[in-house]
Amino acid sequence: MTGPEPAGPRPAPAAAGSPPAGGATTQAGPAGAPRGGDFGFAARPGEAESRAPAGGESAAPAATAQASPADASRRGDFGFAARPGEAESGAPAGGGSADPAGGDLARRATADPLFRLVAYALEAAHGRPPTAVWSAPYAFHLGSPGLVAAAGWPTAAAAAPRTDGLVRLSSLGHPADSCDLPLSLSGPPPDAPAWAVRPYAVLRALARAGYGRGGTDLHVQGSLTGAAGLATAEPAECAVALAVADVHTAAGEQPDREHLARLLAGALPDGDEGLRRAVFFARPGRALLLSPEPRRRQRYVVFDPAASGARLVLVAVRGEAADRPGELARAVACARRAGALSAWQPGQQPGRSVLVLLPEARMAAVRAAVAEDFRDRDRPVPRFLNVAVAGAARRED
């Protein structure tokens, strides 16, 4: 794939222990555009993140604390902020559990509202502050086979170790379904609420590998719901694995992401391994090129729409599942006529949303064309979300 390098200096190399240090980078297609199918829409400036259509499902959970404009600008179009030394890797330098900074995160006025909320929620639910809080980005496939990237919308997990063999799980997304479960290394898993089945499987796999055998207090919260159309399971699983492993990793070291990726693949083989690798190893403004050999050096291609005057937007339709393919196709035709460049589904299977690449100058026109068509047919207007191409999961100190 060929194309121009994004303007500006290259980020500094990743620090030791960060994901894919030294990975190879090649170029993306014209204007950073992946090749994909005919799907896509856009958003008006300032509307994509905040405008929730009246009625129907919301892509963002109501329980999540609202970010201020300053918070949004720090994260780059609702993406992760680039900390010193991490712009290329997406992960902070250092790590380990020597400094349990997660304990005061809930009371730190300068921290991201989502991470403050997660830290506070664990303390409120389980009576003690977290030892570690990790954020993990939602991830998506690109239109070209074998390419994945991370979106600047995080899932967060807060963890604190136990010594009594008990697992206590909670989530603001499921406030009536918190649970206390025995951590068993073999045999059938205990009965659990549907949302907690996969986190428990992750904790069990980690315990078998030596992480958290005494039990864990855990709180998980995402910034998007399933209504957005991005996979929610993979970022949550990665955030849980990193938070728990971090508590049991030597001071000054980061959890071994390759090892955790293999543990998750074994514990939850029905998950999307490509999305997990994006969560663990993504870089801002880059797409990760998947390899059939997991231990091979990470390779990347430039995918930075903003640097080339384009925008990447996620659109999620509402209504009955049977109507979604037709509604997406109808919106695609409107968007293409109004100037959308290309679009594709974010997962391996068709769902309720698509990603679209479009010139920034055509955002308002595309958004208006799609909205007008849906309103004229008395259909709910789709939800539009701006997407920043973000870095990998990281610890929130």
Side-chain angles (χ1 to χ4, degrees):
M1 302 175 71
T2 60
E5 177 75 21
R10 280 187 173 273
S18 297
T25 301
T26 57
Q27 302 295 318
R35 293 171 175 82
D38 288 342
F39 294 93
F41 330 88
R44 288 175 179 168
E47 281 191 354
E49 301 86 359
S50 61
R51 184 179 180 273
E57 298 171 277
S58 172
T64 302
Q66 297 298 313
S68 68
D71 296 319
S73 64
R74 280 200 308 272
R75 287 182 290 177
D77 204 10
F78 285 73
F80 293 124
R83 294 175 177 170
E86 70 168 1
E88 184 71 16
S89 70
S97 55
D99 179 19
D104 69 349
L105 190 60
R107 296 163 184 82
R108 197 178 310 150
T110 57
D112 185 289
L114 173 65
F115 309 138
R116 294 178 65 191
L117 179 65
V118 169
Y120 176 79
L122 183 133
E123 187 172 354
H126 306 305
R128 60 202 186 104
T131 304
V133 176
W134 277 74
S135 63
Y138 291 83
F140 57 90
H141 290 267
L142 275 70
S144 299
L147 286 174
V148 291
W153 295 83
T155 290
R162 300 182 63 85
T163 59
D164 58 1
L166 191 65
V167 168
R168 301 196 296 181
L169 305 176
S170 60
S171 172
L172 287 175
H174 306 274
D177 290 322
S178 298
C179 56
D180 295 1
L181 304 171
L183 181 58
S184 59
L185 301 186
S186 60
D191 292 336
W195 79 269
V197 170
R198 296 182 78 88
Y200 183 86
V202 174
L203 294 175
R204 199 180 206 191
L206 290 170
R208 288 170 178 160
Y211 301 109
R213 289 193 173 186
T216 300
D217 286 341
L218 180 71
H219 187 88
V220 184
Q221 181 63 32
S223 55
L224 300 176
T225 70
L230 293 179
T232 58
E234 286 77 8
E237 294 157 9
C238 295
V240 168
L242 286 162
V244 175
D246 185 32
V247 173
H248 301 279
T249 298
E253 297 181 7
Q254 284 224 351
D256 185 336
R257 298 178 186 228
E258 284 286 1
H259 180 50
L260 294 180
R262 293 193 295 273
L263 288 179
L264 292 179
L268 297 165
D270 59 332
D272 189 320
E273 185 60 21
L275 295 185
R276 288 191 189 123
R277 296 198 71 80
V279 174
F280 279 132
F281 301 109
R283 293 180 179 177
R286 301 290 187 272
L288 173 63
L289 180 62
L290 299 175
S291 169
E293 302 175 15
R295 300 193 184 204
R296 185 177 176 181
R297 185 179 64 165
Q298 309 292 341
R299 295 185 61 195
Y300 300 85
V301 297
V302 174
F303 180 56
D304 192 354
S308 54
R311 296 299 291 267
L312 183 65
V313 177
L314 178 79
V315 61
V317 297
R318 298 180 289 157
E320 299 298 325
D323 297 333
R324 290 171 194 161
E327 294 292 80
L328 286 174
R330 179 80 178 235
V332 165
C334 297
R336 298 284 293 198
R337 287 195 297 268
L341 298 174
S342 64
W344 59 96
Q345 63 193 34
Q348 292 181 325
Q349 301 296 327
R352 68 189 311 150
S353 67
V354 292
L355 288 160
V356 62
L357 190 73
L358 70 158
E360 187 169 8
R362 300 303 300 168
M363 285 183 62
V366 172
R367 166 67 172 83
V370 174
E372 181 179 5
D373 177 79
F374 275 71
R375 291 191 184 110
D376 287 348
R377 296 183 294 115
D378 292 325
R379 300 295 297 171
V381 175
R383 169 84 173 181
F384 303 95
L385 300 172
N386 286 343
V387 175
V389 181
R394 69 185 193 187
R395 180 172 176 167
E396 299 299 333
D397 293 320

